[in-house]
Every structure is written in C-alpha cells, then in structure tokens.
C-alpha cells in the first residue's frame, strides 16, 4: 500500500514537472503580454530645459530643448518628415543572435524583428519611458528605459529584464539607439566623433566614397578572449564617449561605467540611408575564436550564460558654441568632475619623461646547455647617472618610470615581478641613491604588472589563479613574431583572476611601503580591461572600471602616487600621472581627422606624456603630437644592449640605447622646452583643424600653437611651417 | 560582423600593452634579418626605414570617381605620378603632381577617337614622357605621347620565334636607356619579349628555369623508359614559373620577379637580374665574403603561416629599382615591402595588413609599387588608394651608408654607420660597415668586435689573421722558447722515470688504455684476453665524445662556431655522438652473436669506446686550435677532423676483429649487417616515438580539457 502511494506520488511529481516544462515559453510570453501596454504620443518627461516625447506612430523618442526647439530623436525627424522608410533607420534597436545548431550569427533589426509585428510595448515610468522589444522569432525580449535627467537622457538596457526563453537562439549583443547620434550626409559641417586613440572625426559627406564603417571595442580587446590571429597593431578606444555634430547642434554619448563589453560602431556616408551615425553595441555574451578540430577553420564559441548587468548611455545634447568636439570634451570633463571621477593631481608636469627598462631574459649556452638569464639593461646606478646627466644638460628635470625591475624584467615573470625590485640591478645603497635623487616632485615611479604573469610566485599561481575565457579555458596570450605576425606559442602570458587583483594590489602596497616606494606605475592595470568567465560577477568586463578605480583609490589613500600608461578613462581620470597618452587615432582609413580629445579631457588635471619619441617611426611627428596636446615628451632608455637579444624580443630595444639617443634627447628637450615653458600650468582648451593640414591648439593661458601635420611645407597664420613643424603665438 | 571587428581589434595593442607600454602602436613593425651562427637568419624588429605619410585616394584629391580597379602606378622623370585604373569599362589614367595634387586625366585617343584599354595591367613612362600601357585584355601595348595620343601599338609579334600556342597578354613594360624595351606577357614562361629601339621583336629574354632535383631526374628517366604515347598525353609537364613584373636598373639590366611559387614554400631566387644573354647576374655577398647567385637566396620569409585552413604563401607582385640599384619588392599576401641593396642584403621590411589592412601603412590587396628618390608608393586594389612612404632620417642614413659600403668607401661611411647604430643597435649591416671601416684603418681589435656583432666572418677572419700575425711576430721567440722548454721538460721527465724504472701511470687498466693509440693490437688483446679493459674509462670516453662535439659547436672560435643559443639542441648532439656509438655497441653485440662473434657485451662496449679516443682527442684539439686558426688555414682543422675519424674507424676495425676473433672480411660483412640493424632499430624507435607522440597528444588533449575547466 505504502509503495503504491509512493509510486503515485512520484508519478504526480513527474507529471507536474513535465507539464511545467511544456508551459515555460507560453508562460513567459503571457507574463510579458500582461505586463506590456502602450501609450499614445505624448510628452513622457520634462524638466526646465528639456522635454522628452513619445511618438507612438513612428515609435520614436524625441528630446526637445524647450527654449530653442532644437530636437534629437531616435529616428531622425527630418528623415521621417521626408517619408524615409529605411528599415535600418527605423530600427531603434538591433540585436545579434547566435543560432546554436549552426553557429551562425545573425543581426536582427528592431523594426522588422519586433516593431513591425506590433511587438514593441511601452510604459511610462518616472521621468521616462520603458520600451520592451519582443523578438518573437528568436524568443528574446529586450527592455530599454529612457530616463530624462537634468542635462541628458539616459538610455538603459535592463540586463535582468532580458528574456531569452528559446533554446535555438542565444542573444549576443544589442545595438542601442543606432541613429540617436547621427547626422545627415549632405550637411557639409557635420561629422561623427570617434574615440579611437586620442580621438578622431569621420566626415559624413558621401563625395563618391563608399560607406565607411568603424568598430572599436571600448577599453581594448578583452584580454580573456581566445584569438587566433592578429594582423596588425590596433589602436584602442580609451574613452567611453562618441558623438555627432550636425549644423549648430551636437550630441555626445557617454557609455555608463557598468556597461562592460561595448563596441563603438559607426557608419559614415551611408549611401543607402544618406545618414551617418555612431552608437554603442553592448555584449551580453562573451565569445572565443577557436580552431575547428577537424578542418582547422576558425569558429566562434559563445559563453553559456548571459550577463545580467545593466548597460547604459547618457546622451548630452549640445547647442551653439558647445556643439563641436571641443564642447564634447568639455561636456565629458564636466561629467567626470560632477560625478567625482576626475582627480586633480598635485604632481608637477615636466617637459619630458624617461622610462628605464631594467632587465630582460636572454638565453645563453653553457657547455651546450641552454639557460635563461636576467640581463641587466639599466641598473640603478646607470639610471641615476643618466638622470643626472639629462637634468644637467637639458636644464630640466624629468618624470622617471622604472619598468622591468622585478622578476623576469620586461620579459615577464611572476605577478608584478615578484612585488620587489630585483637585486640584479644594484644593491640597497644604489637603490636608495636613485630614490633620494628623484624624491623631489614625486617624479619616480616603479612599474608593476598586476595582470599578466608567466609563472607562479608570491601566492599567485600560474595554473590556478587565472581568468577564464568565454568557453572556460584559461585566459592567455602569446607574443607575436615579425613580420608574418604568427604567434610565438612558447611562454604564454596568463591573466590574473579578476577577483585577485585587489589582493595583488594590497600585497604590492605592503611591499612597496617596505621598500620605501611611493610612486607606483600600473601600466597594465590602467590599460587592460578583461572579463573572467569563471565568476559571474565579472562576465563581459563587468566592474572593471569600478574595480580599477577603487584599487587606485586605495593606493592614493595609502599615500602613493599612481601613474598609468595609455590608460582607459576610468584609470586615467583618477591617476596622478599619465604616461604614453594616446596621441593619434591609429591611422584608420575610415577616419578622416585626428583630434586630441583625450588631451582636451585630461590636460590640466594631471601631467601627461607622449609615447616614446625615440622609438617612434616618425620622430618629428611624435614631437608634434605631444606639442599639439600640450604633453611632455617621453623617452624609453636602456644603458646596455646585447646583439644577442633573442629574435623573439618584441620590444624596440634597438632604439633605446642611451648613448645613441643622448644628443637627440638633449636638443629635442631644449627646443621643446621653449614651447613648454609658455604653456606651463595651463591646459588645452580648444583644438581646431584649419585646413591645409594645419591645426591650431589653444591653451588656457592664451598661447596658440599652429602645427603642420604633414611632411610638406604648409602655410599657417603664424607663417610658413616646414613638414611636422609648429609655431607658437603668445597673445 | 562580430568575427572580424571585435576579434582582431586591439589584439596586438593588448600584447604591446602587456609587455611594453612605452611604444605608440604603429599598425605594424619594421623588420630586418639577423644572421645566426648556424647559417640561418631570423627576422627581428628594426627601426623604420620608411614611414607612411599619406593615403591618396580619389576623395582626398577631390575626384568624383574612386580609383576602382587600380592596377599600376609609376613615376615619370620629374616625379609626376601616373595611376592606371584598368577597371572593366572604366579604364583611366590619372596623373598627379609630385606634391600629390591632381594634375590631369590622360585621355588615350587614336586618330581622335577614345581608346578602350579596360583591363590594362601596367603603365610605364619613358624619359621622353611617352606613356606605355600594357593592355592585357586587348593583347597590345599602347604607346602614346604625353597627351595620350597613340603613337604605336605593339601586338603579338609576327615572328617564327613565337610559338603557335602563344597567348599574348601584356602586363608589364620597361625600357632601358638605349631604348631597348621588354614586355611581359601573363603566364609566359619563355621570358620577357624583347624589342629593339626601333620596335623590332628580338626574341624571348631571361626565362626562369625548372629546378631540378634528384627525384625529378629519376622520374624523368623512368618516364623516358616506360611512358607510351597515352601515358605521355596524360602526364603533366613541369614548366618554369613565369615572371610577374620587371624593371630596368641604372645600368640597363633587367630585373624580374617571380610570384607565388610552391604552396608550402616561399622558395628562393624570386628576383633575377639578367644580362644581355638572359643569364642571371644578381648575386648576394655573403657574410663569409663569398658571392652566391641570387637563385639560392630566399627574398621572402622561410616560414609559411597557416591560418583558418589556408597556407599564407608569400607572393611577389611588383618590383622596382632606384638610382643606386636598390631593389624594392612587394608581397601581396602579407602586404610587406622589402628593400634590398644590389647585393641582396635586406635593409628593411615594412608594411603588412595580411589582406585586411585598414590603417595607414597596411594594405588589403597591394598590387604595385613605384620608387622615386626618397618616396615609395604602393597601390592598393581593394582600398582603391595609394600609400605614400617617405624615407625616414634613419632610412636616409642607412641608405647612404650602405651605398658607400658597396662602393668601398668605408671611411666616409663610418660616421653614418655610427649614427645608424645609435638608433638601431641591432643593425648587423652597421656592425659590418664599421668592421670594414676599422679593418681598413688597421684597427683590428675594433674590427674584430664589430665583425663578431655583425656576424661578418670575412672581416673577422682577416682581422684575426692580422692580429695573429702581429702577435706571432711580436712573441714568436717566446712562444717557440716556451714550447721547446715544455717539450724538453716532458722528455726529460719521461727519460728520467724510465731510467729509474718508474712508471707514471701505475693503474694497469689505465696503462692499457694509454696504449690504444700507439699499440692498438696489444691494447685490444689485453682487453679481450687479460680483461684489462675499464668500463669506467669507456663510460668517460663516451661522455667525452659527447662533450667534445658539444664544445665544437658552442665553444669553438667565432669563425668555426655553429651553435645558436636559441636553436642549439643538446639532445640532438647527444644522439649524433654518444647515441650512435651506444647504438653501434648494442647492434654489434646482437648481430655478432649470430655471426659467431666471441666478444661479450662488456668487451664490445669497452673496445668501441676506446676506438674513438683519436676522434675525441682531435675534436678537443680542434676546439682549442679554432681560436687561433684563420679561415684560410681551416684545412688544418678539417684534416685534423678527418684524421681523427679515419684513425678511430681503423681502431674500431682492429678492436672488433680482436674482440670477436674475426678476420677482416668477416668484420666487414658483420659491420654492414650491424649498420643495417642500427637502421632497423632507429626505424623501430622512430615508430614507437610517433605512436607515443600521438598517444601523448591524445592524453594532453584530455588533460587540457580537464585542467582548463
């Protein structure tokens, strides 16, 4: 009897379970339909300056400035008034989905995928509106909220609200408001602002050109992503901003810090829609590029779980004098200041900086037995001698950064080079002498790599304390050989687990304190953003910005000065000094002009130095870029060079030997200092492209610099300029 | 969409960032070649000789129509740029001024009527500004004046020299100073068509040859013997590779380039310089002071990279020379540009993009290059653009210094080389240049140092000789005296000890071994019958054989050292020396047992090891002498090595005869059997290793799958 009852009970449970499974899809869709509603065209939110309107007919959000009547819309109003019917312009959201069975990736437009089928639902919320796009064919629903704030509209994808009920399709990414930041191609003054490198413009005119497309991953490629090839050196997007100018209006988009993996995409001079636009694409699933085990072809594999974070963009409308890239830079600077994210540094800007490279691992033979040895390229005494000599001969002091003074040198070893400076470079006395000499103006920084490691040490394991990729492999990177750019498969660098970065910093601060080091350089931490699919908290680069900021805060509170290098916005804004600040846009063909947006944002708040002038392919151009942005020059030096350095060495050590560079440094710095003294303690206010490859940089103390950005002679308001020359005018 | 955009974005920037954050990320890095001690060369980073300055396209010039179908570019004598777009139904010829501003469109007309040259592949402008358009589709070369009026059209020549099945598809044209000109026809393996200044067809010129191999020769002979007509008709004929571009140097010699060769190999001899008879006169001055024909030189990379199912084999598509006869070649596959001097030394390589270039200095489908003074242009078919490269300050110095070096003006070049070295410390050409300078000045110590850094064996050898001469001249008496005194002391001690009846070595086994060189029969007899062989000494000898060969590779004098610290494989040396000897011992024992050999394993072991004493001794002597002997006297070292081998094999012969109690012929026959058995053992070991490797690979995959998760 008892057994019968038990069997009946089990059967009942099983039936209930099965019934539940069958109902899952319908239940979700039912709940969505019940919750969804629609509203008529009306003003959904307003404040003193702006009104946000919902156009139910066109399913369009319009932001209107009350005083001038200027408007910005998800679907350009002029386009609608001209009866435009392009599916791409009518789509206020696009998604990409991954078909599980075929591994195909498909882009689905919001218009044909949801709106046209009547599957866009909207609901008024406080100060805004919530739109839910239901892509029924893919069983995916995306909730997007538009919230009016004092001076902007915040558009957010609520990650937790994303529904993905089917088994066949997986959501990968969402492109948000693709035409909110747009301009009509026939406007000759219009352009898109792209944050590639230091900043770039894409002119929207068609002029017989093909549609130009740009895509750049915000904060650079995810270090925890498996890649198969790397054809060239890409220039990363360091600032979470993008914009468009058209006529006397402009709009700036600032990607929210919590947004994680984001691609900034742009299309200029689109010959079909005749509109140009720039927009963010948020990733909700990570992916790895792997080799097919059977045929060797490249295939993509995505992460199993979806990221539940919110992704947002704040759109700032700009009018009149503010409606250009200078205004956009001011707007972003104000945004950082207002949100208490831009720290004013008290470190003094010098006209130049010097980076010393300590050691490098070289392979040697002893009785035929190969072994690696740390070769000292610049020891403490040599560095001190060089600093003294340069101080004396240039009549200026420099900011000094010491790289590769830990375990493994610049070849890499255990995490942060073992957190200590290696005794191979000199004894304690020599170390202290160097410290003492450079103690004034906080000008000495020791670089620690808190992300990459090549072996275990100091409690951080090369095997276990490693981030995971989207398909849960250990995240690692190989070096690239010239000229065929194939990967050197030996000695891969691995990426530290995201959850351990803070612990590593704690250890570093403790050890640095013990050694009396107060200038810490975090080159890799400031420039590398990555995910860790071993922990749901860190999917899709989530929290990277806030984590790094809090780590740097911790160091600052500890009394340290923090330097970063080629840094992402979140690190650059809170650091005390920026080395290797980006000074060009990467030279992408699709980009039309180079602008020092990065410098417009950060100049005056902290010292900034260019990338190494002496290692640059075009030295004159490097110095010019530094001058345009009001930055200090930078030099990377070593004292000793060995012709037997491995051919695998990817660093440009050949150009760093001090003896070969001394004369050039002294003369360049002396000349540069004539300009630098004039702009001392001022910041870059405005940058203008005058035509004929001449640009104008205006500094806050009234100094104007005219620069010839080409190799040909050009005429400027300050007279004839030779190729890559500049002239300074003091008002 | 996601694949290319996000996947590739920032990959190398990331790597550059993680390793070395102080360099601004140029799209790609320049490189040069580093000669290694083992004779190979590897590509290493180098300072940029050329820097990309601007990309020219129709929109930057304010032209309406893009440069679609761009197929060739060239300069005229004034530096004006001619851009040929051979797009279907859209062919046009655009002329730019030397400052890259638009000059004019050349309208090609014949008797006032426009001429269609769609599909044209090449453009050339002679010193009189006449334009030559290689019109592949219409099978002609159009010669026009500078305004585009057709003066003459060169169709397929009416000559008995032209084969009946010849397909005339002109793709390139060039002319020498005397007015002789050359036309390249697509797929023509006979060479270029050469013409007199009057336009008379002279014949084919400078064809490539089919590379012969032993296997190919055997195959050919076999086919000759066995093929019938049916078989012959079905067989494929091996034809030489055809040229893809040509140009004329300052002396009027024609330079040709061959495009993609084998699928798995970049090959060699891709560039040829032909004299009036069509023979290749391009040579490479090797770092050993010898000149080798360019047919043996690989102008590209040794490696072929496999990506996404494809082998990326390099493919030269364009060649140009300048006033100093430097050679510029363009690789279409990787978008790389190589700059060689006229002696085939690589000065610099740059460019890149691998079919996907979207940044200044990289290419998507580069098709042509042109050189004028310090400017280099590259036309990109896919991007419909031209990239302008300017020689950098460093490039100018390197260029001038190398030109002086080739001209033998070492003194003048010294300062420039020093400046080159200041900013490119790894530049082997600069080290070689300075070595030459110091040698010419008689500063041999310095010359030695720079020659070693530049891997210049020739100058090292000459300087070394001079130093040795000077040293001997200065110290000859003392050296002679020292040697005489040492010899006298040794002789005296030995005689004294003998007189007193004392022995220097008292250990019987050691004494037996001591006799192996001079009294081999007695020694091996003692080993066999008196059991005076020592296993310990044998093991030490086998170890010493390995050590001596290791030292020969790694510790010989610079001129004779062959080991490279990055590639030297100690295990391989062990296998080649002690490994082979051990294998001989095992195989010998096993085989000779079957052939009534009387030797035990221990005896074979000891006898074999003892036999190699001469080789070990001569190898050690080789190592020591190699530090003193110049290359001109390298015969001494080689002879020493040969003596060591011959005497060791002689001892081995005696030892085996004695140990196994064989006669000579039995020894010979068993030795052949032993060698055969050794090969069998190697094969079995190899087979087992392959099996183990596969199993290991499987286990590694399983292990990785488990541990990486």
């Amino acid at each position: 009897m008892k057994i019968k009852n038990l069997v009946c009970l089990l059967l009942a449970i099983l039936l209930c379970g099965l019934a539940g499974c069958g109902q899952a899809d319908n239940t979700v869709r039912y709940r969505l339909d019940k919750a969804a509603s629609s509203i008529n065209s009306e003003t959904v939110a307003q404040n003193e300056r702006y009104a946000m309107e919902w156009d139910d007919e066109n399913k369009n959000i319009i932001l209107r400035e009350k005083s001038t009547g200027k408007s910005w819309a998800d679907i350009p109003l002029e386009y609608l008034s001209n009866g435009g019917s392009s599916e791409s312009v009518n789509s206020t959201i696009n998604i990409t989905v991954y078909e599980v069975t075929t591994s195909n990736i498909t882009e689905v437009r919001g218009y044909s995928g949801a709106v046209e089928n009547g599957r866009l639902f909207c609901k008024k919320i406080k100060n805004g509106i919530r739109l839910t796009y239901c892509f029924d064919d893919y069983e995916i629903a995306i909730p997007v909220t538009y919230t009016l704030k004092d001076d902007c509209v915040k558009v957010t994808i609520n990650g937790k609200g994303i529904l993905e009920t089917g088994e066949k399709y997986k959501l990968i990414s969402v492109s948000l408001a693709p035409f909110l930041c747009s301009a009509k191609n026939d406007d000759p003054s219009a352009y898109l602002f792209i944050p590639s490198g230091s900043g770039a413009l894409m002119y929207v005119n068609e002029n017989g050109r093909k549609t130009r497309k740009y895509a750049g991953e915000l904060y650079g490629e995810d270090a925890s992503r498996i890649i198969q090839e790397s054809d060239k050196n890409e220039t990363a997007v360091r600032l979470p901003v993008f914009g468009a100018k058209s006529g006397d209006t402009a709009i700036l988009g600032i990607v929210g810090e919590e947004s994680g993996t984001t691609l900034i995409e742009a299309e200029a001079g689109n010959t079909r829609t005749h509109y140009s636009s720039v927009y963010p694409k948020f990733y909700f699933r990570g992916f790895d590029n792997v080799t097919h085990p059977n045929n060797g072809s490249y295939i993509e594999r995505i992460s199993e779980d979806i990221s539940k974070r919110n992704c947002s963009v704040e759109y700032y409308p700009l009018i009149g004098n503010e409606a250009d890239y200078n205004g956009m830079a001011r707007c972003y600077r104000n945004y950082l200041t207002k949100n208490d994210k831009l720290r004013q540094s008290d470190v003094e800007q010098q006209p130049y900086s010097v980076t010393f490279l300590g050691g490098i691992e070289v392979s040697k033979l002893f009785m035929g037995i190969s072994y690696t040895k740390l070769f000292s390229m610049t020891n403490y005494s040599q560095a001190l001698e060089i600093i003294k000599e340069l101080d004396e001969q240039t009549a200026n002091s420099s900011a000094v950064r010491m790289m590769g003074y830990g375990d493994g040198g610049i070849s890499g070893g255990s995490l942060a080079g073992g957190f200590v400076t290696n005794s191979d470079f000199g004894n304690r006395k020599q170390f202290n002498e160097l410290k003492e000499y450079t103690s004034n103006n906080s000008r000495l920084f020791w670089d620690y790599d808190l992300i990459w490691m090549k072996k275990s040490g100091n409690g951080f394991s090369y095997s276990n304390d490693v981030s995971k990729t989207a398909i849960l492999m250990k995240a690692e990177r190989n070096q690239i050989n010239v000229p065929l750019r194939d990967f050197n498969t030996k000695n891969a660098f691995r990426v530290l687990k995201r959850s351990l970065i803070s612990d590593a910093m704690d250890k570093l601060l403790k050890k640095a304190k013990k050694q009396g080091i107060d200038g810490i350089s975090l080159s890799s931490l400031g420039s590398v953003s990555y995910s860790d699919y071993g922990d749901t908290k860190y999917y899709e680069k989530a929290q990277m910005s806030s984590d790094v900021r809090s780590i740097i805060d911790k160091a600052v509170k500890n009394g340290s000065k923090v330097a970063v290098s080629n840094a992402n916005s979140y690190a650059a804004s809170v650091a005390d000094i920026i080395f290797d600040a980006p000074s060009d846009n990467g030279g992408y063909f699709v980009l039309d002009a180079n602008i020092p947006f990065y410098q417009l944002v950060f100049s005056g708040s902290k010292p900034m130095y260019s990338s190494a002038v002496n290692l640059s392919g075009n030295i004159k151009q490097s110095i010019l870029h530094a001058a345009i942005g009001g930055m200090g020059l930078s030099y990377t030096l070593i004292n000793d060079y060995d012709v037997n350095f491995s051919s695998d060495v990817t660093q440009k050590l050949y150009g760093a030997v001090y003896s070969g560079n001394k004369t050039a440094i002294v003369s360049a710095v002396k000349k540069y200092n004539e300009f630098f003294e004039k702009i001392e303690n001022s910041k870059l206010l405005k940058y203008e492209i005058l035509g004929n490859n001449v640009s104008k940089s205006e500094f806050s103390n009234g100094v104007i610099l005219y620069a010839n950005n080409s190799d040909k002679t050009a005429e400027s308001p300050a007279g004839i300029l030779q190729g890559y020359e500049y002239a300074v005018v003091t008002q | 969409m996601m694949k290319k955009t996000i996947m590739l974005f920032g990959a190398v920037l990331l790597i550059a960032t993680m390793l070395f954050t102080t360099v601004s990320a140029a799209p790609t890095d320049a490189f040069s070649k580093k000669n290694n001690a083992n004779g190979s060369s590897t590509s290493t980073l180098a300072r940029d000789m050329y820097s990309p300055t601007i990309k020219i396209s129709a929109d930057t010039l304010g032209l309406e129509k893009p440069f679609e179908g761009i197929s060739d570019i060239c300069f005229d004598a004034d530096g004006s740029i001619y851009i040929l777009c051979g797009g279907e139904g859209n062919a046009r010829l655009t002329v730019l001024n030397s400052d890259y501003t638009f000059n004019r469109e050349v309208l090609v007309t014949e008797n006032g009527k426009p001429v269609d040259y769609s599909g044209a592949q090449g453009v050339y402008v002679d010193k009189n500004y006449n334009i030559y358009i290689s019109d592949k589709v219409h099978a002609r070369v159009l010669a026009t004046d500078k305004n585009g009026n057709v003066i003459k059209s060169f169709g397929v020549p009416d000559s008995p020299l032209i084969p009946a099945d010849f397909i005339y598809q002109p793709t390139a044209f060039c002319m020498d100073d005397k007015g002789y000109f050359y036309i390249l026809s697509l797929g023509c393996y006979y060479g270029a068509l050469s013409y007199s200044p009057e336009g008379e067809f002279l014949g084919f010129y400078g064809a490539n040859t089919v590379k012969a191999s032993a296997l190919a020769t055997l195959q050919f002979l076999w086919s000759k013997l066995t093929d019938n007509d049916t078989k012959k008709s079905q067989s494929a004929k091996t034809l030489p590779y055809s040229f893809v571009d040509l140009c004329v140097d300052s002396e009027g010699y024609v330079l040709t380039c061959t495009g993609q060769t084998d699928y798995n190999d970049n090959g060699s001899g891709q560039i040829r310089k032909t004299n009036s008879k069509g023979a290749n006169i391009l040579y490479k001055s090797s770092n050993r002071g010898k000149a080798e024909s360019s047919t043996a030189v690989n102008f590209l990379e040794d490696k072929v990279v496999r990506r996404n199912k494809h082998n990326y084999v390099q493919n030269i598509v364009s060649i140009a020379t300048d006033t100093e006869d430097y050679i510029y070649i363009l690789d279409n596959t990787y978008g790389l540009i190589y700059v060689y001097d006229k002696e085939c030394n690589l000065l610099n390589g740059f460019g890149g993009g691998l079919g996907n270039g979207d940044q200044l200095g990289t290419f998507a489908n580069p098709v042509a290059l042109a050189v004028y003074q310090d400017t280099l242009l590259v036309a990109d078919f896919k991007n419909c653009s031209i990239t302008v490269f300017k020689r950098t300050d460093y490039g100018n110095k390197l260029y001038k210094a190398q030109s002086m070096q080739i001209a033998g003006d070492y003194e003048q070049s010294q300062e420039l080389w020093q400046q080159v070295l200041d900013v490119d410390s790894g530049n082997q050409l600069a080290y070689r240049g300075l070595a030459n300078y110091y040698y010419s000045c008689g500063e041999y110590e310095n010359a030695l140092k720079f020659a070693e850094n530049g891997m210049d064996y020739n100058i090292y050898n000459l300087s070394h000789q001079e130093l040795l001469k000077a040293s001997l001249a200065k110290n000859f008496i003392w050296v002679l005296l020292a040697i005489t005194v040492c010899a006298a002391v040794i002789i005296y001690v030995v005689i004294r000890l003998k007189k007193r009846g004392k022995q220097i070595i008292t250990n019987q086994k050691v004494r037996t071994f001591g006799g192996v060189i001079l009294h081999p029969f007695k020694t091996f007899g003692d080993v066999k019958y008196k059991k005076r062989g020592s296993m310990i000494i044998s093991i030490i000898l086998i170890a010493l054989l390995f050590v001596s060969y290791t030292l020969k590779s790694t510790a010989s004098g610079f001129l004779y050292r062959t080991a490279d610290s990055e590639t030297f494989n100690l295990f391989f040396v062990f296998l080649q020396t002690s490994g082979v000897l051990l294998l001989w011992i095992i195989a010998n024992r096993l085989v000779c047992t079957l052939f009534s050999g009387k030797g035990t394993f221990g005896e074979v072991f000891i006898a074999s090891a003892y036999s190699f004493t001469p080789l070990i001794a001569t190898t050690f002597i080789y190592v020591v002498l190699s530090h003193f002997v110049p290359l001109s006297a390298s015969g001494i070292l080689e002879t020493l090595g040969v003596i060591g081998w011959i005497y060791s094999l002689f001892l081995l012969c005696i030892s085996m005869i004695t140990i196994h109690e064989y006669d000579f012929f039995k020894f010979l026959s068993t030795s052949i059997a032993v060698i055969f058995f050794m090969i069998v053992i190697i094969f079995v070991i190899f087979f087992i290793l392959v099996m183990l490797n596969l199993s290991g690979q499987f286990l590694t995959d399983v292990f990785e799958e488990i541990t990486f998760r």
Side-chain angles (χ1 to χ4, degrees), chain A residues 387-406:
Chain A
I387 295 167
K388 279 180 179 173
E389 193 172 24
L390 285 177
D391 280 1
E392 194 183 312
Q393 295 201 15
T394 61
N396 275 291
S397 50
S398 60
V400 179
R401 180 171 50 160
M402 311 292 283
M403 291 184 93
Y405 280 84

Side-chain angles (χ1 to χ4, degrees), chain A residues 400-449:
Chain A
V400 179
R401 180 171 50 160
M402 311 292 283
M403 291 184 93
Y405 280 84
D407 163 35
I410 59 168
S411 308
S414 57
L415 194 73
F419 297 94
V420 287
T421 48
N422 199 307
S423 57
D424 286 4
F425 304 106
N427 57 30
R428 195 74 204 163
K429 189 182 163 211
Q430 290 160 331
F431 176 81
N432 286 334
E433 279 172 357
L434 175 64
K435 259 191 349 177
E436 274 165 32
Y437 184 79
T438 51
S439 60
N440 61 323
N441 300 327
S442 309
R443 65 179 177 126
L444 182 65
F445 294 86
W446 296 85
D447 194 69
Y448 297 93
D449 188 342

Side-chain angles (χ1 to χ4, degrees), chain A residues 625-694:
Chain A
H625 281 156
I628 287 171
M631 300 185 288
L633 301 177
S634 196
Y635 293 91
T636 295
L637 299 174
I638 59 174
N639 194 73
D640 297 320
Y641 181 89
D642 186 340
V643 287
N644 294 316
F645 280 157
S646 161
S647 56
D648 286 344
V649 170
T650 52
Q651 296 87 344
K652 296 183 173 181
L653 301 174
Y654 58 76
V657 183
Y658 174 64
S659 57
N661 282 290
K662 188 167 77 176
T663 320
I665 295 173
V666 172
S667 67
V669 171
K670 274 184 176 171
K671 189 181 172 216
Y672 191 75
N673 197 43
E674 289 169 18
F675 153 71
F676 205 75
E677 276 177 347
K678 290 177 186 162
I679 62 157
E680 211 169 14
N681 301 322
S682 67
K683 64 180 178 185
L684 179 64
L685 270 190
K686 202 174 168 191
Y687 178 79
E688 270 182 84
I689 299 162
L690 302 180
N692 199 23
N693 287 315
V694 175

Side-chain angles (χ1 to χ4, degrees), chain B residues 588-620:
Chain B
N588 187 281
R589 168 65 186 145
L590 294 175
V591 170
C592 290
T593 310
L594 301 174
F595 289 88
S596 321
K598 300 281 191 308
T600 63
F601 182 80
E603 287 163 1
V604 173
F605 189 93
I606 292 165
S608 300
Y610 279 23
S611 303
F612 279 86
T613 308
L615 185 62
I616 294 163
T618 52
T619 308
F620 276 115

Side-chain angles (χ1 to χ4, degrees), chain A residues 397-705:
Chain A
S397 50
S398 60
V400 179
R401 180 171 50 160
M402 311 292 283
M403 291 184 93
Y405 280 84
D407 163 35
I410 59 168
S411 308
S414 57
L415 194 73
F419 297 94
V420 287
T421 48
N422 199 307
S423 57
D424 286 4
F425 304 106
N427 57 30
R428 195 74 204 163
K429 189 182 163 211
Q430 290 160 331
F431 176 81
N432 286 334
E433 279 172 357
L434 175 64
K435 259 191 349 177
E436 274 165 32
Y437 184 79
T438 51
S439 60
N440 61 323
N441 300 327
S442 309
R443 65 179 177 126
L444 182 65
F445 294 86
W446 296 85
D447 194 69
Y448 297 93
D449 188 342
L450 290 184
I451 289 183
W452 304 97
M453 58 179 160
K454 264 187 176 174
K455 61 180 186 188
S456 304
N458 290 83
F460 295 95
S461 164
Y462 183 69
S463 304
N464 302 321
D465 297 333
V466 181
S467 280
K468 295 278 172 70
T469 71
I471 57 168
L472 303 178
M473 303 291 275
K474 286 179 183 170
E476 59 182 32
R477 276 284 188 278
N478 296 105
Q479 287 172 254
I480 289 165
N481 294 332
V482 287
L484 303 184
R485 301 190 70 83
D486 53 329
F487 289 122
N488 176 6
T489 47
K490 60 182 180 186
N491 292 329
F493 284 85
R494 285 188 176 166
V495 191
L496 182 68
K497 253 183 192 171
R498 281 279 305 276
S499 56
L500 293 176
I501 300 177
S502 186
D503 295 348
M505 187 64 188
D506 289 341
K507 188 163 266 185
L508 168 61
L509 290 174
K510 209 184 281 179
K511 297 259 184 179
K513 201 169 189 178
K514 210 171 169 186
Q515 292 180 89
I517 290 172
D518 53 5
I520 293 170
S521 166
L522 301 171
S523 295
S524 55
L525 188 70
S527 58
V528 179
S529 180
Y530 65 101
S531 317
D532 184 353
Y533 294 92
D535 189 336
T536 49
K537 263 168 46 181
Y538 304 116
Y539 276 21
E540 294 302 329
K541 298 184 184 174
Q543 295 185 36
M544 191 73 198
S545 312
S546 50
D547 283 359
V548 172
R549 186 175 288 117
S550 65
I551 284 168
I552 294 178
D553 277 341
K554 198 189 287 180
V556 172
K557 278 179 193 154
N558 200 49
S560 299
K561 299 287 179 200
V562 177
V564 288
S565 169
N566 195 11
N568 293 326
S569 176
Y570 52 81
S573 55
V574 290
D576 291 294
I577 183 167
I578 303 170
F579 288 104
D580 313 319
S583 56
D584 65 44
N585 61 29
Y588 292 97
F589 294 151
V590 293
L591 305 177
D592 294 306
N594 198 50
I595 55 168
F597 194 92
Y598 194 91
Q599 286 71 17
L600 284 163
V601 172
F602 295 117
S603 105
S605 65
K606 56 206 68 198
M608 266 192 290
Y609 297 93
S610 68
S611 50
V613 169
N614 58 322
L615 302 185
S616 151
N618 190 333
I619 291 172
K620 283 183 189 168
Q621 196 179 38
S622 288
I623 295 175
L624 187 79
H625 281 156
I628 287 171
M631 300 185 288
L633 301 177
S634 196
Y635 293 91
T636 295
L637 299 174
I638 59 174
N639 194 73
D640 297 320
Y641 181 89
D642 186 340
V643 287
N644 294 316
F645 280 157
S646 161
S647 56
D648 286 344
V649 170
T650 52
Q651 296 87 344
K652 296 183 173 181
L653 301 174
Y654 58 76
V657 183
Y658 174 64
S659 57
N661 282 290
K662 188 167 77 176
T663 320
I665 295 173
V666 172
S667 67
V669 171
K670 274 184 176 171
K671 189 181 172 216
Y672 191 75
N673 197 43
E674 289 169 18
F675 153 71
F676 205 75
E677 276 177 347
K678 290 177 186 162
I679 62 157
E680 211 169 14
N681 301 322
S682 67
K683 64 180 178 185
L684 179 64
L685 270 190
K686 202 174 168 191
Y687 178 79
E688 270 182 84
I689 299 162
L690 302 180
N692 199 23
N693 287 315
V694 175
S695 65
K696 178 185 171 187
S697 300
E698 209 175 309
F699 293 88
S700 57
N701 61 355
V703 170
I704 291 171
L705 178 130

